Amino acid sequence: MQNDNLLRDGSGVAMLFSEIFGYSPTLCCFAPGRINLIGEHTDYNGGRVFPCAIHLGITAAAAPRCDGTWRFYSRNFQSDGVIVWDSTSWKSDGRWTDYPKGVICTFIAFGYSLPCGADVVFDGNLPDGAGLSSSAALEVLTGTLLKELFAIPVTPQQIAVMGQFAENRFIGVNCGIMDQFASAMGRRHHALMLDTHTLACEYAPIDSSMVSVVIINSGVKHSLASSAYNDRRRECESALAALCESGEKIPSLCSLTPEAFEQRRQAIPDEICRRRAHHAVYENSRTLQAARALREGDIETFGQLMKDSHLSLRDDYEVSCEELDFLAETAWKTEGVFGARMTGGGFGGCTVNLVRPEAVTEFIAQITAAYEARFGIRADSYVVTPSDGARRL
């Protein structure tokens, strides 16, 4: 894996491209991973999310070919070697290349002409399975490459939508739009408030002199395609259907305020579905409150809302795990920490922590030591910088 500077400027992946294919690439692009500060599992329920792109991500070098063949190579999956694919047909082989292949097929399905194939090399520093959206970054990166290689007139927002379509249709994960949107539309030193129903977004600054964003990786890998992620979405859809059957047309769970939900909750007969809906509605409300608190510089209130979010994800949505709970609970008791919660789809991955800058070193030392003592795992940590979205280098 190349260091951060070589990833950011594309020189490392360009050299790798030349080593693998024997000639120089015509362009390099980068797409960031993301963390979600608050607003979890609301994006497919018509609610708000509050992520930011981060400086960690995936870089690619590419060059068009004179035929329809695509050749892919990744430094992160060296044992797979060069994978050759003909874009005339979709066939999943369960490998990482399903993601770029799915995006290419999506561009074609949306009516965009791809006159030829390409050679592409990827390199990244996002930890696999950590919940920092390596899959969305790979999708958005592929869309950005296609735009640049073939002069396709698409916006970053359209690339995000097609990335989500690829993951829904070709990968089989019924994800919302948040991960792809954050990777495509991030802004340096800002978080992004996204209304997933309308795709309207606005930005809120993160003052690095007041707070540092620290990621702690539990080391527990998740796989959304084979996990209970799709079940949670179906349970929310069942809850919404039950509410609508009561005689009122409700466009989405997150269109309800907490007060409106409490008046209608008994219309959802299944207790599990009712708890899933409870999380979605209240998480959406917490996200709106958190964005307001950040704009006002009230990091303490933001931190309390993060704690409430984690508890809801643990108890109502049931997507946390013992390791994530331990990390969050330990952070809540650590001096200098404003707030902490699991981030991402759940079932493993990372916690996001807002920490006073002067307390970061001691916080990381304390929490990683406690985690190793409890689980025998040395947790990785990352102090991340809110980043711009996908771009040509």
Side-chain angles (χ1 to χ4, degrees):
M1 184 180 295
Q2 295 292 317
N3 66 36
D4 287 354
N5 288 333
L6 289 177
L7 279 169
R8 279 197 289 269
D9 67 17
S11 58
V13 76
M15 288 188 290
L16 180 60
F17 184 99
S18 298
E19 291 172 13
I20 298 300
F21 293 121
Y23 68 102
S24 298
T26 59
L27 83 159
C28 296
C29 295
F30 172 81
R34 69 93 190 94
I35 50 130
N36 191 25
L37 298 176
I38 195 167
E40 215 69 74
H41 292 278
T42 52
D43 58 343
Y44 53 81
N45 284 306
R48 269 78 166 185
V49 292
F50 202 41
C52 61
I54 59 177
H55 71 281
L56 304 175
I58 307 174
T59 306
R65 294 175 55 85
C66 59
D67 56 23
T69 299
W70 292 81
R71 295 192 297 178
F72 303 108
Y73 179 85
S74 172
R75 191 191 298 271
N76 303 96
F77 299 95
Q78 296 181 49
S79 61
D80 287 341
V82 175
I83 297 173
V84 182
W85 176 61
D86 179 352
S87 62
T88 57
S89 64
W90 163 261
K91 184 178 181 181
S92 170
D93 60 10
R95 292 188 288 186
W96 65 272
T97 46
D98 281 353
Y99 293 94
K101 285 160 56 176
V103 172
I104 292 165
C105 288
T106 297
F107 267 68
I108 294 170
F110 276 53
Y112 295 108
S113 175
L114 306 182
C116 61
D119 292 334
V120 189
V121 167
F122 297 96
D123 189 13
N125 55 7
L126 284 171
D128 184 44
L132 300 180
S133 293
S134 56
S135 59
L138 187 52
E139 292 156 0
V140 170
L141 177 56
T142 302
T144 304
L145 284 171
L146 295 177
K147 172 186 177 179
E148 298 293 338
L149 277 173
F150 304 121
I152 298 173
V154 290
T155 65
Q157 185 182 87
Q158 289 171 318
I159 289 173
V161 169
M162 286 192 283
Q164 180 201 17
F165 183 93
E167 188 146 351
N168 293 169
R169 178 69 62 87
F170 294 102
I171 307 302
V173 177
N174 290 322
C175 66
I177 190 65
M178 176 184 69
D179 294 350
Q180 293 82 2
F181 204 96
S183 183
M185 299 287 290
R187 179 180 293 178
R188 190 166 180 259
H189 298 316
H190 286 74
L192 184 158
M193 169 63 82
L194 171 65
D195 183 333
T196 63
H197 180 65
T198 65
L199 296 189
C201 71
E202 55 189 73
Y203 296 89
I206 298 176
D207 186 348
S208 60
S209 69
M210 291 180 57
V211 62
S212 293
V213 183
V214 182
I215 304 299
I216 305 294
N217 186 357
S218 71
V220 179
K221 292 187 177 182
H222 66 181
S223 176
L224 294 182
S226 59
S227 73
Y229 184 97
N230 289 343
D231 292 338
R232 296 301 184 278
R233 184 160 186 166
R234 284 191 291 270
E235 288 157 357
C236 287
E237 290 168 351
S238 295
L240 180 62
L243 290 171
C244 291
E245 285 171 5
S246 67
E248 184 177 2
K249 185 173 178 59
I250 299 171
S252 67
L253 288 176
C254 290
S255 66
L256 295 172
T257 64
E259 295 75 18
F261 174 75
E262 293 301 333
Q263 294 171 3
R264 297 165 174 80
R265 64 180 299 142
Q266 294 307 317
I268 306 171
D270 184 89
E271 173 60 25
I272 291 176
C273 293
R274 193 182 308 135
R275 285 194 287 114
R276 306 298 189 245
H278 182 275
H279 167 77
V281 171
Y282 279 80
E283 182 77 350
N284 189 57
S285 177
R286 281 189 289 270
T287 303
L288 292 167
Q289 294 175 62
R292 184 165 54 251
L294 186 62
R295 292 190 191 97
E296 294 172 354
D298 186 357
I299 309 300
E300 287 80 7
T301 294
F302 197 109
Q304 181 59 50
L305 291 164
M306 291 176 72
K307 180 178 180 179
D308 294 342
S309 172
H310 184 92
L311 293 173
S312 181
L313 289 160
R314 183 192 70 186
D315 299 334
D316 281 338
Y317 224 67
E318 297 181 286
V319 292
S320 189
C321 62
E322 182 183 4
E323 293 85 353
L324 290 175
D325 291 340
F326 179 85
L327 287 172
E329 291 161 10
T330 302
W332 297 336
K333 295 180 289 186
T334 303
E335 187 175 353
V337 176
F338 293 107
R341 59 184 286 277
M342 59 157 280
T343 186
F347 317 109
C350 298
T351 59
V352 57
N353 307 264
L354 299 187
V355 185
R356 294 185 187 277
E358 64 274 15
V360 167
T361 301
E362 182 62 24
F363 164 68
I364 291 174
Q366 288 185 30
I367 199 165
T368 54
Y371 191 72
E372 186 171 16
R374 173 69 177 272
F375 297 104
I377 301 171
R378 186 67 179 175
D380 291 330
S381 60
Y382 319 91
V383 182
V384 297
T385 303
S387 163
D388 289 326
R391 55 201 180 269
R392 183 171 182 162
L393 299 175

